[in-house]
Amino acid sequence: EMLASVARLKDGRRWFAEQMAALGFKSIDTPCNFIHVDFGNRRAAIEQVLESVARYRVFPDPLLKPYLRFTTTTPEVFAPLVDAIRRVHNG
């Protein structure tokens, strides 16, 4: 059961990374339980729309400053985030 859970989370992280790439956003996938996404000049608008949808982390470190960090979850849980990000992206 634990391995099946890990596989679902990995699938979710991979799916989220693919969705971000399809929208033109750079991500840093990791073997850990999170993924970093750089939203470029859309970041402020995306942060605003995500306030009611998701929690994420911001890091002051210069290397990670452009990125928002999202905890890994399943595609079903990531889907509302992707929908919100897509709405901002498509303007």
Side-chain angles (χ1 to χ4, degrees), residues 15-26 37-42 46 79 81-91:
W15 180 83
F16 186 66
E18 289 168 356
Q19 298 302 306
M20 295 300 97
L23 293 172
F25 298 123
K26 179 182 174 187
V37 182
D38 181 352
F39 294 108
N41 63 359
R42 299 277 196 171
I46 288 172
L81 278 73
V82 172
D83 290 343
I85 293 165
R86 189 175 288 121
R87 282 193 306 273
V88 170
H89 180 267
N90 294 336

Side-chain angles (χ1 to χ4, degrees), residues 2 13-14 18 27 47 50 55 79:
M2 190 257 324
R13 189 177 63 232
R14 185 178 326 106
E18 289 168 356
S27 65
E47 283 189 273
L50 290 182
R55 294 185 62 157

